[in-house]
């Protein structure tokens, strides 16, 4: 663990740390915001997963989450979106390879050697965070776009690990849209049945925990009809009887302006669940 950034922020500390990841086989950076309450004792942790092309910087510099995290006394951890480095497989396209890990465990080469973001988020990163920062056992998870997909899938696959989950503009059915079809074909192969283990609309049907889902989606999002299709999650949740709050926000697009507009409500949602 090596600290590479530290900034005083709303009475707390916005930091970026680097470590050698045994799961991913490369050095990884992750951001952590420590609210002022962390100086007095342990705080709950909200994990934020970013979308395609992002790293740990996008959320901490654009979302404005620190003020709300300080208000509620929540640690916010924002990892990178994929393994990185010269020895890590990559692709020229923005939606595959570095910056596009899709929060799954790849099974096909050349991706399988490094692309295990699911294991990293579920196992290695929480263990590292709990060992080095003043955390309680209460966790929440959220994310945007590809990261929204990751947040929903990870929460649904790990009952009891999180007390809350939310997402902005998530890819709810990656096995049915171009982004997911491209990534899943590369990372997992052609067996579409195997893809369903990484698809939130399929996972809600067999979920053993009814963790309420909070999803915000802008109705002016240019990816709405082709890549996101939130109605598929709504239909799956209605069929399964899984609690979902899907809020279509009029006039909002896919950008961080959208996230910044509602991140305070999401952090309040997580705070209520984690501190209640």
């Amino acid at each position: 663990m090596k600290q590479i950034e530290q900034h005083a922020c709303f009475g707390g500390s916005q930091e970026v740390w680097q470590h050698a990841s045994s799961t991913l086989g490369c050095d990884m950076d992750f951001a952590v915001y420590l609210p002022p309450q962390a100086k007095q004792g342990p705080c709950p942790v909200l994990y934020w997963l970013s979308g395609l092309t992002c790293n740990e910087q996008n959320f901490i510099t654009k979302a404005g989450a620190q003020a709300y995290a300080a208000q509620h006394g929540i640690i916010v951890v924002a990892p990178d979106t994929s393994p990185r480095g010269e020895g890590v497989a990559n692709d020229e396209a923005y939606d595959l390879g570095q910056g596009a890990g899709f929060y799954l465990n790849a099974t096909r080469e050349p991706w399988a050697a490094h692309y295990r973001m699911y294991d990293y988020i579920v196992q290695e990163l929480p263990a590292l965070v709990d060992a080095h920062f003043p955390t309680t056992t209460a966790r929440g998870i959220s994310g945007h776009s590809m990261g929204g997909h990751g947040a929903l899938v990870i929460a649904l696959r790990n009952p009891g690990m999180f007390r809350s989950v939310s997402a902005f503009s998530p890819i709810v059915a990656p096995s049915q849209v171009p982004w997911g079809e491209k990534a899943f074909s590369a990372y997992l192969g052609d067996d579409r049945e195997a893809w369903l283990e990484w698809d939130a609309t399929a996972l809600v049907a067999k979920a053993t925990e009814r963790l309420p889902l909070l999803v915000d989606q802008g109705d002016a999002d240019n990816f709405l009809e082709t890549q996101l299709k939130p109605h598929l999650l709504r239909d799956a949740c209605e069929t399964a009887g899984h609690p979902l709050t899907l809020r279509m926000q009029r006039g909002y697009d896919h950008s961080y302006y959208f996230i910044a507009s509602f991140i305070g409500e999401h952090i309040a949602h997580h705070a209520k669940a984690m501190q209640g």
Side-chain angles (χ1 to χ4, degrees):
M1 285 272 287
K2 177 175 69 173
Q3 188 182 82
I4 57 178
E5 282 189 41
Q6 191 278 325
H7 310 279
C9 188
F10 292 99
S13 180
Q14 179 62 67
E15 303 174 1
V16 178
W17 291 78
Q18 186 177 89
H19 73 107
S21 170
S22 58
T23 302
L24 303 176
C26 65
D27 288 342
M28 287 293 286
D29 295 347
F30 69 91
V32 57
Y33 176 70
L34 299 171
Q37 295 87 338
K39 301 172 186 175
Q40 309 301 322
C43 298
V45 184
L46 175 63
Y47 287 86
W48 171 270
L49 307 182
S50 292
L52 288 167
T53 75
C54 293
N55 58 26
E56 80 288 343
Q57 291 292 323
N58 300 76
F59 180 73
I60 65 174
T61 59
K62 295 180 179 181
Q66 293 92 341
Y68 303 106
Q71 175 186 343
H72 292 285
I74 291 177
I75 295 171
V76 181
V77 175
D80 201 347
T81 55
S82 78
R84 306 267 184 180
E86 290 185 6
V88 176
N90 199 12
D91 191 273
E92 293 182 357
Y94 77 95
D95 53 359
L96 189 66
Q98 296 186 33
F102 269 85
Y103 303 103
L104 49 71
N105 290 337
T107 56
R108 292 189 67 193
E109 297 299 341
W111 314 103
H114 297 281
Y115 284 75
R116 303 188 63 81
M117 285 299 295
Y118 174 82
D119 282 351
Y120 179 71
I121 299 298
V122 172
Q123 299 173 10
E124 184 175 13
L125 184 61
L128 197 68
V129 168
D130 290 344
H132 288 86
F133 303 102
T135 64
T136 69
T137 58
R139 299 186 185 113
I141 191 166
S142 186
H144 171 236
S145 195
M146 178 186 72
H149 142 75
L152 295 174
V153 166
I154 288 171
L156 289 166
R157 286 178 58 126
N158 294 276
M161 183 174 180
F162 301 98
R163 297 190 186 178
S164 53
V165 58
S166 73
F168 290 83
S169 315
I171 307 171
V172 301
S175 66
Q176 302 181 54
V177 300
W179 273 340
E181 290 175 330
K182 178 178 180 177
F184 285 9
S185 294
Y187 296 145
L188 303 173
D190 298 327
D191 182 3
R192 286 180 171 262
E193 285 298 312
W195 294 6
L196 299 181
E197 293 300 313
W198 309 100
D199 187 308
T201 60
L203 291 171
V204 293
K206 56 183 182 180
T208 59
E209 177 187 44
R210 295 304 188 205
L211 191 64
L213 312 180
L214 170 62
V215 174
D216 270 326
Q217 172 65 61
D219 72 358
D221 191 321
N222 59 323
F223 300 114
L224 179 61
E225 299 300 329
T226 57
Q227 304 281 12
L228 305 177
K229 301 187 177 183
H231 67 278
L232 296 178
L233 181 63
R234 180 198 63 210
D235 294 347
C237 286
E238 288 179 354
T239 299
H242 197 105
L244 166 69
T245 300
L246 172 59
R247 308 192 306 185
M248 298 299 298
Q249 302 290 2
R250 186 172 182 179
Y252 285 90
D253 58 20
H254 199 70
S255 72
Y256 265 86
Y257 296 108
F258 171 46
I259 297 170
S261 298
F262 298 99
I263 192 65
E265 295 178 25
H266 279 242
I267 289 179
H269 163 79
H270 290 280
K272 182 178 180 181
M274 291 192 289
Q275 297 170 340

